[in-house]
């Protein structure tokens, strides 16, 4: 009996060690955040980087943020699981850097495009496919209503139980409707937009603004949220983007 009690005591004393060792073996997700701008620069970029860094602390991500396109080589990119394009604009990569990025992505990596990722690399057809669509125009930033279509994606868990979500952002219109090529998760309620500068060119009718797709081994996600600094303080948007990165990194399905 005495020996039995000693064994139980030893187990209790060692249990926290076993638990700690198990926690320390959780594999990190390596996330690259790229926010180089050659056109309009969103003042929300620094908030977005902080949000992703904070989420990294919570989710066990290694987060690296850069605006240096010269790092887009296979030697550098191979260190990452997910690349986040956080409000980059216009032509930010050379042909050689584009080729390295495409080759890297096709090894089965993840991409998350945030807001102005659609306003980037217009002359690169493959990037347009990766992001899902290119930006065309937008009405003034204002309160708008998002209509949810599908909650069967980790980025949408935070919105379950809601039919719509109303917030302030800049509601992009796209050069072509991506619906035929992507899985749409949400669209804009165009009737909620009240300011248009007397220009209805922003209207699409069917107006997707959040979607995902998988092709050539790549997981790709896009969300329109992210124009304002406050967007990245919104707990729902934070959870939304966290789910997108976890999915793109193949931690969840």
């Amino acid at each position: 009996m005495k020996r039995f009690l000693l064994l139980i005591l030893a187990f209790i004393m060692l249990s926290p060690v076993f638990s700690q060792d198990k926690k320390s073996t959780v594999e990190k997700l390596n996330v690259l955040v790229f926010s180089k701008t050659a056109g309009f620069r969103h003042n929300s970029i620094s908030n977005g980087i902080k949000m992703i860094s904070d989420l990294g602390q919570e989710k066990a991500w290694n987060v690296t943020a850069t605006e240096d396109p010269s790092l887009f080589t296979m030697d550098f990119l191979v260190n990452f699981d997910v690349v986040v394009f956080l409000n980059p604009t216009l032509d930010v990569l050379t042909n050689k850097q584009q080729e390295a990025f495409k080759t890297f992505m096709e090894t089965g990596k993840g991409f998350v495009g945030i807001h102005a990722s659609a306003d980037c690399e217009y002359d690169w057809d493959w990037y347009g496919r990766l992001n899902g669509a290119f930006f065309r125009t937008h009405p003034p930033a204002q309160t708008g209503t998002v209509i949810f279509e599908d909650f069967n994606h980790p980025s949408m868990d935070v919105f379950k139980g809601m039919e719509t979500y109303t917030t302030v952002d800049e509601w992009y219109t796209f050069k072509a409707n991506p619906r035929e090529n992507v899985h749409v998760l949400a669209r804009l309620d165009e009737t909620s937009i009240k300011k248009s500068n007397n220009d209805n060119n922003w209207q699409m009718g069917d107006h997707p603004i959040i979607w995902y797709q998988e092709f050539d081994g790549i997981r790709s996600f896009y969300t329109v949220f992210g124009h304002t600094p406050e967007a990245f303080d919104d707990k729902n948007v934070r959870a939304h983007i966290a789910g997108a990165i976890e999915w793109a990194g193949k931690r969840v399905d």
Side-chain angles (χ1 to χ4, degrees):
M1 174 64 97
K2 183 176 180 181
R3 183 181 179 186
F4 178 71
L5 292 173
L6 287 172
L7 287 172
I8 292 178
L9 180 61
F11 177 78
I12 293 172
M13 292 176 67
L14 290 173
S15 290
V17 176
F18 295 148
S19 181
Q20 184 176 358
D21 287 346
K22 184 178 180 180
K23 183 177 180 181
S24 68
T25 61
V26 173
E27 187 173 352
K28 291 275 190 175
L29 188 67
N30 296 304
V31 179
L32 177 65
V33 182
F34 183 62
S35 55
K36 170 72 174 176
T37 57
F40 181 83
R41 185 172 181 85
H42 286 78
N43 64 359
S44 62
I45 287 175
S46 59
N47 285 50
I49 292 171
K50 183 179 185 305
M51 177 201 69
I52 296 171
S53 296
D54 290 345
L55 289 171
Q57 294 296 313
E58 300 171 14
K59 304 289 186 180
W61 303 341
N62 288 322
V63 177
T64 301
T66 186
E67 297 201 355
D68 183 359
S70 71
L71 294 175
F72 274 63
T73 65
M74 281 299 292
D75 287 344
F76 179 73
L77 293 172
V78 74
N79 297 300
F80 298 96
D81 304 300
V82 179
V83 179
V84 179
F85 269 39
L86 172 63
N87 286 340
T89 52
L90 301 188
D91 190 5
V92 291
L93 299 175
T94 66
N95 291 342
K96 185 176 181 180
Q97 292 159 1
Q98 289 177 359
E99 186 60 34
F101 181 50
K102 179 176 182 290
T103 300
F104 164 74
M105 291 301 302
E106 290 175 345
T107 63
K109 302 301 181 178
F111 173 84
V112 174
I114 296 178
H115 192 61
S117 63
D119 186 25
C120 185
E121 295 293 344
Y122 287 99
D123 295 327
W124 187 13
D125 290 342
W126 180 85
Y127 177 79
R129 182 185 180 193
L130 177 70
N131 193 72
F134 285 120
F135 165 77
R136 187 180 78 200
T137 188
H138 60 77
Q142 61 189 286
T143 300
T145 298
V146 179
I147 300 173
F148 298 125
E149 296 190 14
D150 188 353
F151 297 97
N152 190 28
H153 189 275
S155 67
M156 303 300 288
D157 286 348
V158 68
F159 297 120
K160 285 181 177 177
M162 307 182 197
E163 293 184 0
T164 62
Y165 191 65
T166 299
T167 189
V168 175
D169 218 296
E170 189 177 61
W171 305 105
Y172 276 12
T173 289
F174 304 97
K175 288 179 177 290
N177 191 319
R179 187 177 290 275
E180 291 185 2
N181 302 312
V182 301
H183 191 113
V184 175
L185 297 170
R187 68 184 186 275
L188 177 67
D189 179 357
E190 292 188 340
T191 66
S192 69
I193 302 303
K194 306 305 180 185
K195 303 174 186 176
S196 63
N197 294 332
N198 297 318
D199 178 8
N200 293 325
N201 189 45
W202 63 270
Q203 293 178 333
M204 294 178 66
D206 175 31
H207 201 139
I209 52 175
I210 301 171
W211 58 74
Y212 74 93
Q213 57 178 320
E214 296 186 56
F215 71 96
D216 295 341
I218 302 166
R219 286 189 173 188
S220 172
F221 178 91
Y222 174 80
T223 183
V224 77
F225 295 131
H227 173 71
T228 68
E230 293 77 15
F232 297 119
D233 295 327
D234 183 326
K235 65 179 183 180
N236 291 323
V237 172
R238 290 168 65 93
H240 169 65
I241 293 174
I245 293 173
E246 291 273 284
W247 173 80
K250 299 182 179 178
R251 273 190 170 178
V252 294
D253 291 316

